[in-house]
Amino acid sequence: MSHLPDEVLARRAAAGHRECFEELLARHRDRVYRLCYRMAGNTEDAEDWAQECFVRAYRQLGHYNPQLPFEPWLLRVTSNTCLNLIKARGRRQDRFQLGLGEEMGERASAAPDPLDAAVCAEEAQAIRAALETLPPTLRQAVVLRVLEDLSFRELAEILGVPLQTAATRVRRALVQVRERLAKSGIEVVL
Amino acid sequence: MVTCRWVQDRLLLYLAGEIDPRLAAKLCRHLERCGRCTRVAEELAETQEVLGNALEQAIATPATLHERVMDALRALPAPAPGLSVPTRSFSTARWGWPAFASAGLCLLAAGFLLGREQALNNHPPATPAVRSPAAPILSLALLAADHEKPLQVAQPDQVVGSDPWQVAHALAPRVAFPVTAVDLRNADARLLGGQAQRVQGVPVAFQRYDWRGERVSLFQMDGRKIALPGLRETTFDGHCFLIGEREGLGYVLWCKGTTNFVLVARATPEQLLRLASAAGGASTRG
């Protein structure tokens, strides 16, 4: 089974071979979890959200077209599920994190120089704040593009929008992040 | 008319190399003379990279996630089958094989469905594809062209011989992957020789057999470098195959480990399945 392509496994899983879905789970759980972590902002929610994404994908296998690649379809289910969970959580609390606090804190504390650590922490806070102000659809687009290193074609396929629309969403997100960082006094330089 | 707004809308696609070359040329000409759009392009690239650097972090997937998902799935009913596997019709048997051969194939398929759990557990099947997402799809037309060529004497990278292990051993260094020695004498197919060649730039080991007076070609290639096309799946003798037919040639494809195998002959795929099964079952590494 380890040699079967995703598309064949998905088709068999849809026909009732649960072990085929388990193989898909093993192959894709890291990527799905990583995306859920970035969207949820903490490890507890990320694991719950990742479980929900896989269960939803399993339920929707009957709608998956095996003539098309499986991974973009799974990422689409994942990002849309996360968006829905963000909205549901947003109704309970008016903000969401982008999973930056935990590891950015680690990175800051790992900086050898106390001044560097302070700068890192400040930049991390500013970047997180800038991303949090983005509308969910722009956040979704820039997270997928930047974190998952997707091409714009892959991004457009996952979002279900034309190529230009995907690029426009990322551009607007980047412009807004840059403007927000400038207001925070953070200069964006490489 | 190329405006700054039009250019800035397309800058990210241009920077990513995902834009039509004609549009790219227009953007390039505009950027050469517009400092403002050039600055916007630089800022977009910088911001994208800063975000990427800031968000880049190894994230460990919890070990509990896998079991949590499977527990959740076990509590669900199995999804209703909603997908149909596209099938292809085949021409009538060229050699007039009895109709019960087709019925026998249906019975085999039914038997597979009933005993699929056992088959999957007890017989590691030769599977239809080993695929890297970036690998090109194998062109059957190119294989057909090679199949139709006679095995000429004294051609470069050619090995003449009837010993499958000797031929496989001689071909292996020429294609830089382990060539499987395929002995089909029990299936009335006699090896004539082999040749190393390239198909779509990928090294292929090609072996020619005489099967009851009919020419049969067996191609072997590294499945990580070239993917099998999406043909009709079938099962024969507990093994999974992809089968197809075009312009009078039958094709049977399968993979074992990282090697893709393709059997080609002027016969129907059903007629070739017995030979393919013998090839898959009898093969050992050369």
Side-chain angles (χ1 to χ4, degrees):
Chain A
M1 194 185 306
S2 62
H3 298 305
L4 287 172
D6 288 352
E7 294 72 32
V8 172
L9 287 172
R11 180 164 48 190
R12 292 187 182 187
H17 293 267
R18 197 167 276 150
E19 68 280 3
C20 293
F21 190 83
E22 186 166 11
E23 175 66 22
L24 290 170
L25 168 63
R27 291 181 188 183
H28 297 285
R29 63 181 175 224
D30 290 346
R31 196 169 191 186
V32 167
Y33 178 78
R34 187 169 63 236
L35 183 54
C36 290
Y37 178 76
R38 292 300 182 195
M39 301 290 268
N42 60 78
T43 51
E44 290 80 18
D45 283 348
E47 192 171 357
D48 289 343
W49 289 20
Q51 176 187 325
E52 177 62 25
C53 290
F54 276 110
V55 170
R56 198 165 291 199
Y58 181 78
R59 282 182 166 147
Q60 293 179 10
L61 275 176
H63 301 288
Y64 163 66
N65 179 359
Q67 306 282 355
L68 301 174
F70 175 76
E71 192 168 34
W73 178 85
L74 178 63
L75 286 181
R76 189 170 178 174
V77 171
T78 300
S79 63
N80 287 341
T81 302
C82 287
L83 270 185
N84 293 335
L85 290 166
I86 285 169
K87 288 172 187 171
R89 185 167 67 176
R91 287 192 283 273
R92 294 194 301 272
Q93 58 183 77
D94 283 329
R95 56 184 286 136
F96 82 103
Q97 288 78 32
L98 267 156
L100 293 176
E102 295 172 10
E103 81 276 12
M104 292 303 283
E106 289 169 11
R107 185 178 295 127
S109 64
D113 187 277
L115 181 59
D116 287 344
V119 170
C120 283
E122 186 186 354
E123 283 179 354
Q125 179 68 22
I127 290 172
R128 184 175 58 194
L131 285 167
E132 284 176 358
T133 61
L134 292 175
T137 51
L138 297 192
R139 273 177 291 193
Q140 179 194 37
V142 78
V143 164
L144 284 169
R145 166 70 182 162
V146 171
L147 291 177
E148 293 299 321
D149 200 25
L150 297 177
S151 70
F152 283 104
R153 275 188 171 71
E154 289 169 332
L155 179 63
E157 191 177 339
I158 288 168
L159 298 180
V161 301
L163 180 66
Q164 184 59 53
T165 303
T168 298
R169 288 185 186 179
V170 174
R171 181 178 67 81
R172 286 182 185 160
L174 292 175
V175 167
Q176 289 184 30
V177 163
R178 193 179 181 95
E179 286 171 355
R180 182 59 189 247
L181 288 174
K183 283 182 186 170
S184 305
I186 305 289
E187 189 184 359
V188 177
V189 288
L190 292 171
Chain B
M1 185 180 169
V2 177
T3 62
C4 288
R5 181 168 178 175
W6 184 89
V7 166
Q8 289 173 23
D9 277 346
R10 286 154 183 81
L11 276 175
L12 284 178
L13 292 174
Y14 171 73
L15 293 171
E18 291 187 60
I19 199 167
D20 183 273
R22 289 169 298 178
L23 296 181
K26 285 185 182 177
L27 266 92
C28 186
R29 284 195 294 273
H30 181 90
L31 289 173
E32 282 171 356
R33 62 175 191 274
C34 180
R36 181 178 156 202
C37 286
T38 301
R39 268 194 310 279
V40 171
E42 288 168 354
E43 287 171 0
L44 286 173
E46 266 177 359
T47 310
Q48 198 166 220
E49 187 151 351
V50 164
L51 273 183
N53 292 339
L55 299 177
E56 187 182 59
Q57 177 73 19
I59 298 168
T61 305
T64 49
L65 175 61
H66 190 101
E67 208 46 49
R68 282 184 58 174
V69 172
M70 292 313 297
D71 285 344
L73 296 188
R74 285 182 199 111
L76 295 174
L83 298 169
S84 59
V85 177
T87 57
R88 296 171 63 146
S89 60
F90 293 94
S91 60
T92 54
R94 181 170 176 265
W95 289 354
W97 281 28
F100 73 74
S102 300
L105 197 61
C106 291
L107 285 174
L108 277 171
F112 168 71
L113 287 172
L114 289 172
R116 63 187 187 275
E117 295 285 344
Q118 187 174 5
L120 284 173
N121 290 332
N122 296 343
H123 302 286
T127 52
V130 170
R131 189 154 68 93
S132 157
I137 306 291
L138 177 67
S139 165
L140 296 182
L142 294 176
L143 293 189
D146 287 328
H147 169 75
E148 298 290 8
K149 281 187 222 167
L151 199 66
Q152 297 175 24
V153 178
Q155 288 296 305
D157 291 327
Q158 188 188 78
V159 178
V160 177
S162 59
D163 185 326
W165 284 266
Q166 193 178 37
V167 169
H169 186 71
L171 287 176
R174 305 177 195 202
V175 293
F177 67 84
V179 177
T180 300
V182 180
D183 187 356
L184 295 177
R185 280 173 291 192
N186 288 341
D188 293 331
R190 180 172 58 93
L191 180 64
L192 301 173
Q195 190 168 352
Q197 55 199 54
R198 285 188 168 264
V199 173
Q200 293 169 258
V202 176
V204 172
F206 158 64
Q207 291 151 301
R208 174 68 54 76
Y209 297 81
D210 180 285
W211 184 41
R212 302 170 185 167
E214 185 66 39
R215 178 191 303 169
V216 172
S217 299
L218 177 64
F219 298 88
Q220 300 184 39
M221 62 213 76
D222 189 334
R224 293 165 297 185
K225 294 184 179 165
I226 192 162
L228 297 175
L231 299 178
R232 187 165 77 93
E233 280 183 51
T234 193
T235 306
F236 184 82
D237 202 23
H239 299 286
C240 295
F241 298 96
L242 296 173
I243 57 176
E245 190 170 9
R246 51 170 286 165
E247 296 176 359
L249 286 176
Y251 298 84
V252 178
L253 300 78
W254 71 97
C255 72
K256 209 166 186 181
T258 56
T259 303
N260 288 351
F261 296 82
V262 186
L263 202 63
V264 184
R266 289 219 162 262
T268 65
E270 289 83 0
Q271 292 163 345
L272 289 177
L273 276 170
R274 195 170 300 279
L275 203 60
S277 181
S283 59
T284 53
R285 290 285 179 199

